[in-house]
Amino acid sequence: MERQVAVHAPPGYRSPFLDLIEGRESPNAMSRQSDVFYRDAQLTAFVSAARYSDAGGNALVVPNEPFENLYVMPDALLGDLHAFSKRLALAFKAVYGCDGVMVRQHNEPAGSQDVWHDHLHVIPRYKNDGFYATLPQKVWTTPEEREPYARRLRAYFAGTSA
């Protein structure tokens, strides 16, 4: 018997990612169009406005359609999302020279989800970066801090060098 999945988005909820996906700036969002480094018919990827360690340049990969979480996302799109996370992990290795990559995804409030639009966190990791030594605190960054990371990733996915 299939269990019903709870909906956590409040009535009338508009994902904060939609303006980025649709190519518009939002005065209320932390992320900017300059953060976007990849967009196709299914997915959009951008440098996150928040970072969780001293290493910057972590990214979010979102489906262009606002599915609340992985429970309700079509399997084919879920496959596209994870296949792109592999491409992005390889980009991080090439562009940032990181030692590893972490991919995280949260579902429901108990799973630490706080945006009701499924997304993957793709985070470059470095030897001895201490990520799990203490619970990483979210640090908000400026568009200027994120720009070099987005520019380098944009060049990578365009097949050019930054």
Side-chain angles (χ1 to χ4, degrees):
M1 176 181 218
E2 192 169 312
R3 191 173 154 204
Q4 293 291 353
V5 176
V7 173
H8 299 283
Y13 180 79
R14 178 170 166 81
S15 165
F17 302 145
L18 288 177
D19 285 330
L20 280 179
I21 291 164
E22 295 166 357
R24 292 192 304 269
E25 293 292 353
S26 172
N28 301 322
M30 296 293 294
S31 296
R32 300 284 180 252
Q33 286 300 314
S34 59
D35 299 326
V36 176
F37 58 85
Y38 180 87
R39 183 183 283 125
D40 67 20
Q42 304 299 321
L43 307 170
T44 298
F46 53 97
V47 174
S48 177
R51 63 178 168 76
Y52 295 91
S53 70
D54 289 338
N58 56 295
L60 297 179
V61 183
V62 301
N64 292 343
E65 191 172 338
F67 295 99
E68 183 168 312
N69 51 42
L70 74 84
Y71 307 139
V72 296
M73 193 181 316
D75 290 348
L77 183 55
L78 197 57
D80 291 343
L81 188 71
H82 282 274
F84 184 78
S85 75
K86 175 183 174 181
R87 291 178 60 200
L88 180 53
L90 292 168
F92 280 173
K93 298 279 291 170
V95 173
Y96 298 167
C98 59
D99 299 310
V101 176
M102 179 170 61
V103 178
R104 298 173 71 162
Q105 194 271 340
H106 306 272
N107 297 284
E108 300 186 276
S112 299
Q113 183 179 9
D114 59 8
V115 175
W116 311 118
H117 184 144
D118 188 80
H119 57 285
L120 291 179
H121 296 260
V122 185
I123 303 169
R125 297 291 308 276
Y126 299 86
K127 290 178 187 163
N128 303 313
D129 66 9
F131 190 91
Y132 287 110
T134 61
L135 187 60
Q137 297 298 310
K138 184 184 292 188
V139 175
W140 293 104
T141 61
T142 66
E144 295 77 20
E145 291 173 294
R146 298 187 301 268
E147 191 280 329
Y149 296 104
R151 179 177 24 86
R152 291 170 68 196
L153 289 168
R154 208 175 295 115
Y156 177 91
F157 285 104
T160 61
S161 60

